[in-house]
Amino acid sequence: MNHAEEIWKTLVRATVDKKHPWRVVGFSTAGPKGPQVRSVILRAVNTDNHQLVFYTDRRSQKMADIAHDSRVALLFWNPRSNTQLRVCGIAAPQTSELIVNSLWARIPEYARKDYATLSAPGDALTGGDLVYDFDKARANFVVLNVKVLSLELLELKREGHVRFRCDLDETGRWIHQNMIP
């Protein structure tokens, strides 16, 4: 069995099934203020390029953290199967305006306001009301790609836990290693 292939299939499934537990991901960065973790939504998977895709605001702390150190760690948990997936990779914004614009076109109008606030996400709210500038929303929208370098899966089972790791080698192949749980 190709464990990496099975993990990628499950990740793809999480992008189309809104109730899949791996759709909401713990996303960790190491910025100038130290380690940070937040939940993000897995938007797409590019299996050929070993990439996971997320959306974010260019003004967010995560983007400042990634500019400081592009290495990221992600944590997926499935309570139904008691399965944890840890992923390490390199994050970078999508540079193709064609791709970003095509994804922006799919964002529903109601969701575009998330990128239209005058102040950055996480800033203090002064005055009590949010102020929006919808003309600037697209400029704040970032498609963030994470190039996956390693996958580590832990399955918690009564009959014995199972743990393995898959590392991406220089040729683009996954090297599998069973591990002690």
Side-chain angles (χ1 to χ4, degrees), residues 72-88:
V72 297
L74 295 87
L75 181 65
F76 300 80
W77 171 249
N78 185 335
R80 287 179 253 159
S81 63
N82 287 331
T83 303
Q84 170 185 276
L85 174 65
R86 295 190 318 159
V87 173
C88 291

Side-chain angles (χ1 to χ4, degrees), residues 5-21:
E5 191 174 298
E6 290 302 314
I7 290 170
W8 283 100
K9 284 180 184 176
T10 304
L11 290 166
V12 168
R13 202 167 28 248
T15 66
V16 293
D17 178 359
K18 291 188 178 193
K19 293 184 180 183
H20 196 286

Side-chain angles (χ1 to χ4, degrees), residues 17-80:
D17 178 359
K18 291 188 178 193
K19 293 184 180 183
H20 196 286
W22 282 8
R23 186 171 173 82
V24 180
V25 183
F27 190 102
S28 301
T29 56
K33 297 178 183 177
Q36 298 288 322
V37 65
R38 74 282 287 158
S39 295
V40 296
I41 305 297
L42 179 62
R43 300 294 181 173
V45 173
N46 182 331
T47 54
D48 293 338
N49 293 328
H50 310 109
Q51 289 181 336
L52 304 176
V53 180
F54 305 92
Y55 300 162
T56 193
D57 190 304
R58 72 171 172 80
R59 305 165 296 169
S60 70
Q61 182 61 49
K62 107 175 51 70
M63 291 304 293
D65 290 351
I66 289 166
H68 175 78
D69 186 342
S70 61
R71 296 174 299 168
V72 297
L74 295 87
L75 181 65
F76 300 80
W77 171 249
N78 185 335
R80 287 179 253 159

Side-chain angles (χ1 to χ4, degrees), residues 57 59 104 109 111-119 130-138 140-141:
D57 190 304
R59 305 165 296 169
W104 176 252
E109 287 297 322
R112 290 183 177 197
K113 74 178 181 180
D114 295 338
Y115 305 96
T117 58
L118 290 183
S119 299
L130 286 173
V131 179
Y132 299 98
D133 182 349
F134 286 93
D135 292 333
K136 294 195 172 152
R138 166 54 193 91
N140 294 327
F141 175 72

